[in-house]
């Protein structure tokens, strides 16, 4: 049974915010939610647990505060856990999220026999204390993410990387060197015609790649340092290509 969860906020949850389990979940969506874990303590927290063949898309959400450790066996919390411990076929596509201040941001696998499939792109993964992304065996496609620093994630194959730690078998290159839109970073690149100029707050930018978190005003006509009559301008919400 597919269950879509959206526009919700989770706090003070016992252990798992949303538990997607079983091959009957063939395309559920977790979208535009906020999950705040219980922080440090003798407990386990997971915003999502995806397993036993479930297939889920996780997008546009904030996941934080999953840092509990179970005193019974030392198990640790994670923002998102994906595994095939109970059955094969578990899949997750994780895009456009802010995943921060957890023990592990995204934990993939239970043991060396795990065969979960996980893709994670255009996320902000930072300030997670153990790993940004960990894996017990499956190769994880995690290219195109922001890891908390322009130098990229911390891994032996990325000398000088000072962002979140990534495990072996996590594909992270290329990575974002500027903060992704997911955590308030700049919008995607836009191309403007030669006869246009752009004003972003106090800055006028000529043709080329334009990044801005502000309202962008496009004025047709001759390029000029003079804004001109504001009645001749129009404001446009630009969509990324």
């Amino acid at each position: 049974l597919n269950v879509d969860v959206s526009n919700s906020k989770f706090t003070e949850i016992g252990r798992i915010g949303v538990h997607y389990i079983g091959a009957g979940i063939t395309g559920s969506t977790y979208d535009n939610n906020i999950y705040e874990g219980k922080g440090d303590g003798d407990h386990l927290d997971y915003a999502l647990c995806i397993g036993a063949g479930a297939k889920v898309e996780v997008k546009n959400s904030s996941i934080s505060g999953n840092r509990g450790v179970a005193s019974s066996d030392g198990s640790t919390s994670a923002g998102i856990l994906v595994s095939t411990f109970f059955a094969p076929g578990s899949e997750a596509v994780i895009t456009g999220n802010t995943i921060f201040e957890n023990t592990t941001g995204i934990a993939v696998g239970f043991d060396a026999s795990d065969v979960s499939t996980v893709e994670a792109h255009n996320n902000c993964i930072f300030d997670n204390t153990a790993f940004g992304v960990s894996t017990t065996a499956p190769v994880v496609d995690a290219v195109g993410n922001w890891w908390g620093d322009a130098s990229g994630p911390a891994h032996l194959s990325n000398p000088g990387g000072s962002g979140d730690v990534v495990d072996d078998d996590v594909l992270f290159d290329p990575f974002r060197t500027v903060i992704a839109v997911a955590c308030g970073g700049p919008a995607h690149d836009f191309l403007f015609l030669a006869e246009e100029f752009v004003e972003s707050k106090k800055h006028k930018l000529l043709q080329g790649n334009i990044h801005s978190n502000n309202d962008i005003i496009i004025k047709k006509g001759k390029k000029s340092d003079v804004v001109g009559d504001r009645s001749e301008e129009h404001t446009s919400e630009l969509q990324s290509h």
Side-chain angles (χ1 to χ4, degrees):
L1 176 65
N2 287 316
V3 176
D4 295 334
V5 180
S6 61
N7 304 314
S8 301
K9 183 175 183 178
F10 298 80
T11 59
E12 297 299 322
I13 301 300
R15 176 165 174 159
I16 301 172
V18 180
H19 199 177
Y20 289 108
I21 187 165
I25 300 173
T26 58
S28 290
T29 300
Y30 180 91
D31 182 17
N32 196 36
N33 300 295
I34 298 173
Y35 187 96
E36 297 175 352
K38 298 185 296 294
D40 300 321
D42 182 8
H43 55 256
L44 290 176
D45 268 333
Y46 306 97
L48 296 100
C49 183
I50 301 167
K55 296 175 174 58
V56 181
E57 182 180 9
V58 183
K59 58 184 182 179
N60 307 322
S61 296
S62 173
I63 297 172
S64 64
N66 300 284
R67 296 193 304 275
V69 178
S71 61
S72 59
D73 61 3
S75 298
T76 58
S77 300
I80 301 170
L81 172 64
V82 186
S83 85
T84 57
F85 177 75
F86 294 105
S90 304
E91 297 181 9
V93 177
I94 303 167
T95 58
N97 303 284
T98 307
I99 303 171
F100 65 105
E101 295 181 358
N102 307 286
T103 301
T104 296
I106 302 171
V108 181
F110 180 80
D111 56 25
S113 65
D114 202 284
V115 290
S116 300
T117 300
V118 174
E119 293 185 28
H121 308 298
N122 198 35
N123 302 285
C124 289
I125 304 172
F126 63 98
D127 289 347
N128 297 289
T129 57
F131 290 94
V133 178
S134 68
T135 176
T136 61
V139 174
V140 180
D141 182 356
V143 302
N145 296 295
W146 166 256
W147 299 97
D149 191 87
S151 61
H155 190 268
L156 288 177
S157 65
N158 184 37
S162 61
D164 273 19
V165 176
V166 294
D167 219 340
D168 294 337
D169 293 321
V170 174
L171 308 178
F172 60 82
D173 192 9
F175 50 82
R176 293 191 66 101
T177 57
V178 294
I179 302 174
V181 178
C183 49
H188 293 287
D189 293 348
F190 298 96
L191 181 65
F192 294 89
L193 300 178
E195 70 271 15
E196 299 174 345
F197 76 85
V198 175
E199 178 193 9
S200 176
K201 295 296 186 185
K202 296 180 180 179
H203 304 286
K204 298 181 181 66
L205 305 172
L206 302 182
Q207 179 182 355
N209 293 333
I210 296 170
H211 299 283
S212 177
N213 291 323
N214 305 319
D215 292 337
I216 297 176
I217 299 172
I218 301 172
K219 178 179 173 62
K220 286 277 189 179
K222 182 180 179 181
K223 288 183 285 190
S224 170
D225 290 333
V226 179
V227 173
D229 184 356
R230 300 188 66 85
S231 66
E232 296 177 1
E233 299 173 355
H234 63 277
T235 302
S236 175
E237 291 186 5
L238 299 176
Q239 303 298 318
S240 62
H241 59 74

